[in-house]
Amino acid sequence: MAETLQNLHPELYKKDVEEARQGEAYAPFEGDPNAYSKKFYIESYGCQMNFSDSEIVASILHEEGFGATRNFEEADLVLLNTCSIREKAEQTVRNRLQTFRKQKEGNPGMLIGVLGCMAERLKAKFLEEEKLVDIVVGPDAYRSLPGLISEAEGGQKSVNVLLSREETYADIAPVRLDSNGVTAFVSIMRGCNNMCSFCVVPFTRGRERSRDAESIVHECEDLFSRGYREVTLLGQNVDSYYYSPSAGGGLEGAVTFAMLLEKVALISPLLRVRFSTSHPKDITDDVLHTMAKYHNICKYIHLPVQSGNTRILQLMNRTYTREWYLAKVKRIREIMPDCGLSTDVISGFCTETEEEHQDTLSVMELSRFDMAYMFSYSERPGTLAARRYEDDIPEEVKKRRLIEIINLQNSHSRESYTADIGKTFEVLIEGDSKRSDLHWYGRNSQNKVVVFPKDDRPLQKGDYATVQIKNATSATLMGEMVPA
Ligand code: SAH
Ligand code: SF4
Ligand code: F3S
């Protein structure tokens, strides 16, 4: 039997498949489906920023008379919002295009557009490589979609992959896709100025820019008034959010991330605030104190470590050391002892030795993450690492190290979730549990999923319940509501 990932480690394989599928967002019809003359279908891959962008795209298309459909077979326009972060992410998109190819053979009028990071990375090359693609649009060019669609309708292939230093889509009200009506993502910035050597994002998303604070607060207020009870503020590096209304970026009226968090938290104590992602080099005490001050700012931080070894961190250009990272974790726990913590880890980065891999395991031991996203290194063309270092760790070694990381994290997750048995949490109800409509599904402040039986209380999604935990797996807490 071939040593595929699937038979070497079925758990990991399952995760891969889930990760690949994780992305799909389908837009429901908003309002009267007959109000729209044409239909579009959109699927999103990659990070939450991409999902958030798809909601901007849906809004632009609605204005153009396109209504959303969940069924690509009936779409006039099929869009894939793509991710380039790892090679596998790109392969998933190419496979998906094969499916659409068949559909297009039977319906030549159907247009296919590729959006997002892969569009930006490959640019017009996409049209050569994938002949069935009609439109290629980068993340900063979505306002030009109507024009590009008209060109494509006229039989011309069309591309716009210009990156911008200003575009934040601040004035576009996103159309919420596949929403539970309770939780929403709100983009607060775009792009990234860090140059982590493994990472393609600075090339696909361009320079970092922060969105007007007022437009962010306004969007969150609007969500709250429509019944939403949780917003997640999104950016590749939220701690470097900085918006200055005065020309030249002066201090007058300037808003930092800590100040923005406070503004959003003040909208209502019933509106939960989350954010992602924090960078260990930039997260400040100011942010931690603001989190501690407001009950409705969730006590949860996603703090990607990537590696536990200082030499590797240097090669990765993360600009912090192992000790700096551990000191940040300590600081978080000093200020908020009950704070949930998760991370991202990469195994097998260029030149990583066994000892250096052990350092990653030991940083995990010391930090005790509740959850982690774990990857093996995938070289991305054009990145600093691709240009400077040889991708010299054999695939089997990367995978074996990854499995060790995953096994260790699984045991830490199990410990963390089991330690919650007996504790009582405030849970925001997001809907029915997937397994049974006799149970509610929600999350606690620490971002852990909590499932608990309904009783005769007239609760609905968007309400808060007080739940005592009775049982746990390594990814779910099961509890019961405390008597009223
Ligand atoms: N802005 C976030 C991360 C965005 S990408 C941050 O700075 O933390 C999400 C995660 O994908 C990264 O944290 C990293 O762990 C992983 N990743 C990025 N590039 C990768 C690559 N080339 N190979 C493997 N994993 C990668
Ligand atoms: Fe990529 Fe680093 Fe920017 Fe995160 S901070 S998006 S890992 S370059
Ligand atoms: Fe992927 Fe682009 Fe996000 S590369 S992770 S979709 S910023």
Side-chain angles (χ1 to χ4, degrees), residues 24 38 41 56 74 82 102 105 111 123 137 176 186 190 244 258 264 300 312 317 323 352-353 378 385 393 438 475:
E24 291 158 41
K38 292 179 251 174
Y41 169 90
I56 304 268
E74 60 168 25
T82 61
K102 293 203 191 81
E105 279 162 10
L111 294 179
K123 305 190 168 55
V137 200
R176 302 294 161 185
V186 176
R190 301 182 69 81
S244 164
V264 178
Y300 169 64
I312 293 294
N317 205 21
E323 290 70 31
E352 184 188 69
T353 65
S378 162
I393 307 300
L438 301 175

PDB file of all heavy atoms in Angstrom, residues 24 38 41 56 74 82 102 105 111 123 137 176 186 190 244 258 264 300 312 317 323 352-353 378 385 393 438 475:
ATOM      1  N   GLU A  24     -16.456  26.751   2.265  1.00  0.00           N
ATOM      2  CA  GLU A  24     -17.482  27.112   1.318  1.00  0.00           C
ATOM      3  C   GLU A  24     -18.564  28.006   1.885  1.00  0.00           C
ATOM      4  O   GLU A  24     -19.162  27.703   2.880  1.00  0.00           O
ATOM      5  CB  GLU A  24     -18.071  25.852   0.727  1.00  0.00           C
ATOM      6  CG  GLU A  24     -17.043  25.202  -0.152  1.00  0.00           C
ATOM      7  CD  GLU A  24     -17.302  23.745  -0.358  1.00  0.00           C
ATOM      8  OE1 GLU A  24     -18.463  23.378  -0.530  1.00  0.00           O
ATOM      9  OE2 GLU A  24     -16.336  22.988  -0.312  1.00  0.00           O
ATOM     10  N   LYS A  38     -30.182  38.059 -12.833  1.00  0.00           N
ATOM     11  CA  LYS A  38     -29.179  37.021 -13.055  1.00  0.00           C
ATOM     12  C   LYS A  38     -28.773  36.403 -11.724  1.00  0.00           C
ATOM     13  O   LYS A  38     -28.999  36.993 -10.671  1.00  0.00           O
ATOM     14  CB  LYS A  38     -27.955  37.630 -13.734  1.00  0.00           C
ATOM     15  CG  LYS A  38     -28.225  38.075 -15.157  1.00  0.00           C
ATOM     16  CD  LYS A  38     -26.995  38.684 -15.770  1.00  0.00           C
ATOM     17  CE  LYS A  38     -27.185  40.179 -15.927  1.00  0.00           C
ATOM     18  NZ  LYS A  38     -26.041  40.898 -16.371  1.00  0.00           N
ATOM     19  N   TYR A  41     -23.077  32.443  -8.064  1.00  0.00           N
ATOM     20  CA  TYR A  41     -22.757  31.434  -7.061  1.00  0.00           C
ATOM     21  C   TYR A  41     -21.336  31.720  -6.602  1.00  0.00           C
ATOM     22  O   TYR A  41     -20.454  31.981  -7.431  1.00  0.00           O
ATOM     23  CB  TYR A  41     -22.846  30.064  -7.723  1.00  0.00           C
ATOM     24  CG  TYR A  41     -22.292  28.924  -6.898  1.00  0.00           C
ATOM     25  CD1 TYR A  41     -23.115  28.225  -6.028  1.00  0.00           C
ATOM     26  CD2 TYR A  41     -20.952  28.545  -7.013  1.00  0.00           C
ATOM     27  CE1 TYR A  41     -22.603  27.170  -5.283  1.00  0.00           C
ATOM     28  CE2 TYR A  41     -20.442  27.504  -6.264  1.00  0.00           C
ATOM     29  CZ  TYR A  41     -21.277  26.819  -5.404  1.00  0.00           C
ATOM     30  OH  TYR A  41     -20.775  25.791  -4.668  1.00  0.00           O
ATOM     31  N   ILE A  56     -18.486  41.342   0.643  1.00  0.00           N
ATOM     32  CA  ILE A  56     -18.373  42.628  -0.075  1.00  0.00           C
ATOM     33  C   ILE A  56     -18.727  42.402  -1.550  1.00  0.00           C
ATOM     34  O   ILE A  56     -19.477  43.177  -2.159  1.00  0.00           O
ATOM     35  CB  ILE A  56     -16.912  43.160   0.002  1.00  0.00           C
ATOM     36  CG1 ILE A  56     -16.421  43.293   1.445  1.00  0.00           C
ATOM     37  CG2 ILE A  56     -16.730  44.420  -0.830  1.00  0.00           C
ATOM     38  CD1 ILE A  56     -16.629  44.612   2.073  1.00  0.00           C
ATOM     39  N   GLU A  74     -27.330  26.441 -11.743  1.00  0.00           N
ATOM     40  CA  GLU A  74     -28.262  27.428 -12.297  1.00  0.00           C
ATOM     41  C   GLU A  74     -27.657  28.838 -12.340  1.00  0.00           C
ATOM     42  O   GLU A  74     -28.347  29.811 -12.617  1.00  0.00           O
ATOM     43  CB  GLU A  74     -29.569  27.432 -11.493  1.00  0.00           C
ATOM     44  CG  GLU A  74     -29.364  27.780 -10.039  1.00  0.00           C
ATOM     45  CD  GLU A  74     -30.669  28.062  -9.299  1.00  0.00           C
ATOM     46  OE1 GLU A  74     -31.719  27.561  -9.723  1.00  0.00           O
ATOM     47  OE2 GLU A  74     -30.609  28.805  -8.302  1.00  0.00           O
ATOM     48  N   THR A  82     -10.291  32.559  -3.803  1.00  0.00           N
ATOM     49  CA  THR A  82      -9.241  31.559  -3.602  1.00  0.00           C
ATOM     50  C   THR A  82      -8.162  31.954  -2.607  1.00  0.00           C
ATOM     51  O   THR A  82      -7.988  33.124  -2.282  1.00  0.00           O
ATOM     52  CB  THR A  82      -8.530  31.309  -4.949  1.00  0.00           C
ATOM     53  OG1 THR A  82      -7.952  32.554  -5.356  1.00  0.00           O
ATOM     54  CG2 THR A  82      -9.498  30.817  -6.006  1.00  0.00           C
ATOM     55  N   LYS A 102     -17.021  20.927 -16.525  1.00  0.00           N
ATOM     56  CA  LYS A 102     -18.076  20.058 -17.049  1.00  0.00           C
ATOM     57  C   LYS A 102     -19.372  20.833 -17.192  1.00  0.00           C
ATOM     58  O   LYS A 102     -20.070  20.746 -18.196  1.00  0.00           O
ATOM     59  CB  LYS A 102     -18.286  18.861 -16.122  1.00  0.00           C
ATOM     60  CG  LYS A 102     -17.099  17.946 -16.098  1.00  0.00           C
ATOM     61  CD  LYS A 102     -17.457  16.523 -15.674  1.00  0.00           C
ATOM     62  CE  LYS A 102     -16.190  15.746 -15.416  1.00  0.00           C
ATOM     63  NZ  LYS A 102     -15.620  16.031 -14.070  1.00  0.00           N
ATOM     64  N   GLU A 105     -19.333  23.136 -20.154  1.00  0.00           N
ATOM     65  CA  GLU A 105     -19.462  22.476 -21.456  1.00  0.00           C
ATOM     66  C   GLU A 105     -20.922  22.420 -21.886  1.00  0.00           C
ATOM     67  O   GLU A 105     -21.251  22.612 -23.054  1.00  0.00           O
ATOM     68  CB  GLU A 105     -18.841  21.075 -21.421  1.00  0.00           C
ATOM     69  CG  GLU A 105     -17.326  21.138 -21.590  1.00  0.00           C
ATOM     70  CD  GLU A 105     -16.610  19.878 -21.140  1.00  0.00           C
ATOM     71  OE1 GLU A 105     -17.287  18.851 -20.855  1.00  0.00           O
ATOM     72  OE2 GLU A 105     -15.357  19.928 -21.057  1.00  0.00           O
ATOM     73  N   LEU A 111     -20.347  32.252 -16.922  1.00  0.00           N
ATOM     74  CA  LEU A 111     -19.025  32.862 -16.740  1.00  0.00           C
ATOM     75  C   LEU A 111     -18.379  32.328 -15.469  1.00  0.00           C
ATOM     76  O   LEU A 111     -19.068  32.102 -14.467  1.00  0.00           O
ATOM     77  CB  LEU A 111     -19.152  34.378 -16.637  1.00  0.00           C
ATOM     78  CG  LEU A 111     -19.641  35.111 -17.880  1.00  0.00           C
ATOM     79  CD1 LEU A 111     -19.737  36.612 -17.598  1.00  0.00           C
ATOM     80  CD2 LEU A 111     -18.723  34.846 -19.078  1.00  0.00           C
ATOM     81  N   LYS A 123      -2.220  36.101 -11.591  1.00  0.00           N
ATOM     82  CA  LYS A 123      -2.592  37.168 -12.526  1.00  0.00           C
ATOM     83  C   LYS A 123      -3.080  36.581 -13.859  1.00  0.00           C
ATOM     84  O   LYS A 123      -3.805  35.587 -13.857  1.00  0.00           O
ATOM     85  CB  LYS A 123      -1.422  38.136 -12.710  1.00  0.00           C
ATOM     86  CG  LYS A 123      -0.933  38.701 -11.373  1.00  0.00           C
ATOM     87  CD  LYS A 123       0.054  39.818 -11.536  1.00  0.00           C
ATOM     88  CE  LYS A 123       0.325  40.572 -10.247  1.00  0.00           C
ATOM     89  NZ  LYS A 123       0.759  39.800  -9.095  1.00  0.00           N
ATOM     90  N   VAL A 137      -9.768  38.464 -10.742  1.00  0.00           N
ATOM     91  CA  VAL A 137      -9.827  39.722  -9.975  1.00  0.00           C
ATOM     92  C   VAL A 137      -9.106  39.586  -8.650  1.00  0.00           C
ATOM     93  O   VAL A 137      -9.422  38.705  -7.840  1.00  0.00           O
ATOM     94  CB  VAL A 137     -11.287  40.136  -9.660  1.00  0.00           C
ATOM     95  CG1 VAL A 137     -11.346  41.624  -9.322  1.00  0.00           C
ATOM     96  CG2 VAL A 137     -12.208  39.824 -10.793  1.00  0.00           C
ATOM     97  N   ARG A 176     -24.449  39.554   4.252  1.00  0.00           N
ATOM     98  CA  ARG A 176     -24.006  38.415   5.064  1.00  0.00           C
ATOM     99  C   ARG A 176     -24.349  37.101   4.374  1.00  0.00           C
ATOM    100  O   ARG A 176     -25.511  36.856   4.064  1.00  0.00           O
ATOM    101  CB  ARG A 176     -24.627  38.473   6.451  1.00  0.00           C
ATOM    102  CG  ARG A 176     -24.299  39.756   7.203  1.00  0.00           C
ATOM    103  CD  ARG A 176     -22.831  39.879   7.526  1.00  0.00           C
ATOM    104  NE  ARG A 176     -22.475  41.277   7.820  1.00  0.00           N
ATOM    105  CZ  ARG A 176     -21.234  41.691   8.033  1.00  0.00           C
ATOM    106  NH1 ARG A 176     -20.233  40.854   7.961  1.00  0.00           N
ATOM    107  NH2 ARG A 176     -21.001  42.956   8.293  1.00  0.00           N
ATOM    108  N   VAL A 186     -16.022  41.312  10.758  1.00  0.00           N
ATOM    109  CA  VAL A 186     -15.907  42.692  10.295  1.00  0.00           C
ATOM    110  C   VAL A 186     -14.430  42.987  10.012  1.00  0.00           C
ATOM    111  O   VAL A 186     -13.594  42.913  10.913  1.00  0.00           O
ATOM    112  CB  VAL A 186     -16.452  43.669  11.370  1.00  0.00           C
ATOM    113  CG1 VAL A 186     -16.243  45.111  10.949  1.00  0.00           C
ATOM    114  CG2 VAL A 186     -17.925  43.391  11.657  1.00  0.00           C
ATOM    115  N   ARG A 190      -6.627  45.785   5.885  1.00  0.00           N
ATOM    116  CA  ARG A 190      -6.288  44.881   4.789  1.00  0.00           C
ATOM    117  C   ARG A 190      -4.788  44.850   4.610  1.00  0.00           C
ATOM    118  O   ARG A 190      -4.093  45.769   5.024  1.00  0.00           O
ATOM    119  CB  ARG A 190      -6.955  45.348   3.482  1.00  0.00           C
ATOM    120  CG  ARG A 190      -8.456  45.412   3.571  1.00  0.00           C
ATOM    121  CD  ARG A 190      -9.080  45.838   2.262  1.00  0.00           C
ATOM    122  NE  ARG A 190      -8.941  44.834   1.219  1.00  0.00           N
ATOM    123  CZ  ARG A 190      -9.722  43.770   1.083  1.00  0.00           C
ATOM    124  NH1 ARG A 190     -10.711  43.546   1.942  1.00  0.00           N
ATOM    125  NH2 ARG A 190      -9.530  42.920   0.102  1.00  0.00           N
ATOM    126  N   SER A 244      -5.789  57.246  11.455  1.00  0.00           N
ATOM    127  CA  SER A 244      -5.685  58.668  11.771  1.00  0.00           C
ATOM    128  C   SER A 244      -6.507  59.461  10.772  1.00  0.00           C
ATOM    129  O   SER A 244      -6.249  59.401   9.569  1.00  0.00           O
ATOM    130  CB  SER A 244      -4.221  59.088  11.703  1.00  0.00           C
ATOM    131  OG  SER A 244      -4.162  60.491  11.644  1.00  0.00           O
ATOM    132  N   ALA A 258      -6.354  49.097  20.620  1.00  0.00           N
ATOM    133  CA  ALA A 258      -6.976  49.064  21.956  1.00  0.00           C
ATOM    134  C   ALA A 258      -8.165  50.028  22.005  1.00  0.00           C
ATOM    135  O   ALA A 258      -9.225  49.710  22.563  1.00  0.00           O
ATOM    136  CB  ALA A 258      -5.949  49.419  23.027  1.00  0.00           C
ATOM    137  N   VAL A 264     -15.909  49.500  20.157  1.00  0.00           N
ATOM    138  CA  VAL A 264     -16.862  48.470  19.738  1.00  0.00           C
ATOM    139  C   VAL A 264     -17.510  47.830  20.967  1.00  0.00           C
ATOM    140  O   VAL A 264     -18.713  47.565  20.991  1.00  0.00           O
ATOM    141  CB  VAL A 264     -16.181  47.416  18.827  1.00  0.00           C
ATOM    142  CG1 VAL A 264     -17.156  46.324  18.420  1.00  0.00           C
ATOM    143  CG2 VAL A 264     -15.610  48.075  17.579  1.00  0.00           C
ATOM    144  N   TYR A 300     -10.104  35.547  24.785  1.00  0.00           N
ATOM    145  CA  TYR A 300      -9.542  34.549  23.873  1.00  0.00           C
ATOM    146  C   TYR A 300      -8.579  35.240  22.920  1.00  0.00           C
ATOM    147  O   TYR A 300      -8.932  36.263  22.321  1.00  0.00           O
ATOM    148  CB  TYR A 300     -10.671  33.872  23.081  1.00  0.00           C
ATOM    149  CG  TYR A 300     -10.177  33.026  21.935  1.00  0.00           C
ATOM    150  CD1 TYR A 300      -9.393  31.894  22.168  1.00  0.00           C
ATOM    151  CD2 TYR A 300     -10.490  33.352  20.621  1.00  0.00           C
ATOM    152  CE1 TYR A 300      -8.935  31.127  21.104  1.00  0.00           C
ATOM    153  CE2 TYR A 300     -10.042  32.585  19.557  1.00  0.00           C
ATOM    154  CZ  TYR A 300      -9.257  31.476  19.803  1.00  0.00           C
ATOM    155  OH  TYR A 300      -8.812  30.716  18.763  1.00  0.00           O
ATOM    156  N   ILE A 312      15.094  29.417  14.103  1.00  0.00           N
ATOM    157  CA  ILE A 312      14.078  29.237  13.062  1.00  0.00           C
ATOM    158  C   ILE A 312      13.172  30.473  12.985  1.00  0.00           C
ATOM    159  O   ILE A 312      12.829  30.949  11.899  1.00  0.00           O
ATOM    160  CB  ILE A 312      13.254  27.951  13.321  1.00  0.00           C
ATOM    161  CG1 ILE A 312      14.137  26.711  13.154  1.00  0.00           C
ATOM    162  CG2 ILE A 312      12.036  27.868  12.417  1.00  0.00           C
ATOM    163  CD1 ILE A 312      14.635  26.463  11.729  1.00  0.00           C
ATOM    164  N   ASN A 317      11.707  35.266   9.898  1.00  0.00           N
ATOM    165  CA  ASN A 317      11.535  36.722   9.992  1.00  0.00           C
ATOM    166  C   ASN A 317      10.334  37.102  10.853  1.00  0.00           C
ATOM    167  O   ASN A 317       9.607  38.051  10.543  1.00  0.00           O
ATOM    168  CB  ASN A 317      11.404  37.327   8.584  1.00  0.00           C
ATOM    169  CG  ASN A 317      11.822  38.783   8.573  1.00  0.00           C
ATOM    170  OD1 ASN A 317      12.560  39.223   9.465  1.00  0.00           O
ATOM    171  ND2 ASN A 317      11.344  39.537   7.594  1.00  0.00           N
ATOM    172  N   GLU A 323      11.887  33.299  23.910  1.00  0.00           N
ATOM    173  CA  GLU A 323      11.684  33.890  25.238  1.00  0.00           C
ATOM    174  C   GLU A 323      10.637  35.003  25.188  1.00  0.00           C
ATOM    175  O   GLU A 323       9.807  35.130  26.078  1.00  0.00           O
ATOM    176  CB  GLU A 323      13.007  34.442  25.799  1.00  0.00           C
ATOM    177  CG  GLU A 323      14.017  33.368  26.189  1.00  0.00           C
ATOM    178  CD  GLU A 323      14.622  32.624  24.984  1.00  0.00           C
ATOM    179  OE1 GLU A 323      14.766  33.241  23.894  1.00  0.00           O
ATOM    180  OE2 GLU A 323      14.938  31.420  25.121  1.00  0.00           O
ATOM    181  N   GLU A 352      15.342  23.166   9.601  1.00  0.00           N
ATOM    182  CA  GLU A 352      14.956  22.828  10.974  1.00  0.00           C
ATOM    183  C   GLU A 352      15.548  21.470  11.390  1.00  0.00           C
ATOM    184  O   GLU A 352      15.334  20.455  10.733  1.00  0.00           O
ATOM    185  CB  GLU A 352      13.427  22.785  11.099  1.00  0.00           C
ATOM    186  CG  GLU A 352      12.936  22.531  12.518  1.00  0.00           C
ATOM    187  CD  GLU A 352      11.428  22.304  12.583  1.00  0.00           C
ATOM    188  OE1 GLU A 352      10.958  21.244  12.076  1.00  0.00           O
ATOM    189  OE2 GLU A 352      10.722  23.162  13.120  1.00  0.00           O
ATOM    190  N   THR A 353      16.292  21.462  12.499  1.00  0.00           N
ATOM    191  CA  THR A 353      16.868  20.207  13.000  1.00  0.00           C
ATOM    192  C   THR A 353      15.884  19.528  13.964  1.00  0.00           C
ATOM    193  O   THR A 353      14.897  20.130  14.378  1.00  0.00           O
ATOM    194  CB  THR A 353      18.163  20.489  13.789  1.00  0.00           C
ATOM    195  OG1 THR A 353      17.812  21.257  14.948  1.00  0.00           O
ATOM    196  CG2 THR A 353      19.181  21.249  12.959  1.00  0.00           C
ATOM    197  N   SER A 378       5.089  24.584   3.443  1.00  0.00           N
ATOM    198  CA  SER A 378       4.831  24.462   2.012  1.00  0.00           C
ATOM    199  C   SER A 378       5.460  25.672   1.332  1.00  0.00           C
ATOM    200  O   SER A 378       5.069  26.810   1.585  1.00  0.00           O
ATOM    201  CB  SER A 378       3.305  24.426   1.812  1.00  0.00           C
ATOM    202  OG  SER A 378       2.940  24.716   0.492  1.00  0.00           O
ATOM    203  N   ALA A 385      11.559  33.120   1.768  1.00  0.00           N
ATOM    204  CA  ALA A 385      12.133  31.798   2.040  1.00  0.00           C
ATOM    205  C   ALA A 385      12.413  31.051   0.749  1.00  0.00           C
ATOM    206  O   ALA A 385      13.446  30.385   0.612  1.00  0.00           O
ATOM    207  CB  ALA A 385      11.202  30.986   2.937  1.00  0.00           C
ATOM    208  N   ILE A 393      13.826  19.970   4.072  1.00  0.00           N
ATOM    209  CA  ILE A 393      13.349  18.920   4.981  1.00  0.00           C
ATOM    210  C   ILE A 393      12.448  17.977   4.177  1.00  0.00           C
ATOM    211  O   ILE A 393      11.442  18.414   3.614  1.00  0.00           O
ATOM    212  CB  ILE A 393      12.575  19.529   6.174  1.00  0.00           C
ATOM    213  CG1 ILE A 393      13.411  20.614   6.877  1.00  0.00           C
ATOM    214  CG2 ILE A 393      12.134  18.445   7.158  1.00  0.00           C
ATOM    215  CD1 ILE A 393      14.725  20.154   7.454  1.00  0.00           C
ATOM    216  N   LEU A 438     -32.695  19.084  19.789  1.00  0.00           N
ATOM    217  CA  LEU A 438     -33.090  19.142  21.201  1.00  0.00           C
ATOM    218  C   LEU A 438     -31.984  19.790  22.042  1.00  0.00           C
ATOM    219  O   LEU A 438     -32.131  19.962  23.251  1.00  0.00           O
ATOM    220  CB  LEU A 438     -33.379  17.734  21.743  1.00  0.00           C
ATOM    221  CG  LEU A 438     -34.498  16.991  21.001  1.00  0.00           C
ATOM    222  CD1 LEU A 438     -34.635  15.564  21.528  1.00  0.00           C
ATOM    223  CD2 LEU A 438     -35.814  17.749  21.132  1.00  0.00           C
ATOM    224  N   ALA A 475     -12.652  18.774  21.894  1.00  0.00           N
ATOM    225  CA  ALA A 475     -13.065  19.928  21.083  1.00  0.00           C
ATOM    226  C   ALA A 475     -14.452  20.468  21.439  1.00  0.00           C
ATOM    227  O   ALA A 475     -14.898  21.450  20.858  1.00  0.00           O
ATOM    228  CB  ALA A 475     -13.026  19.568  19.606  1.00  0.00           C
TER     229      ALA A 475
END
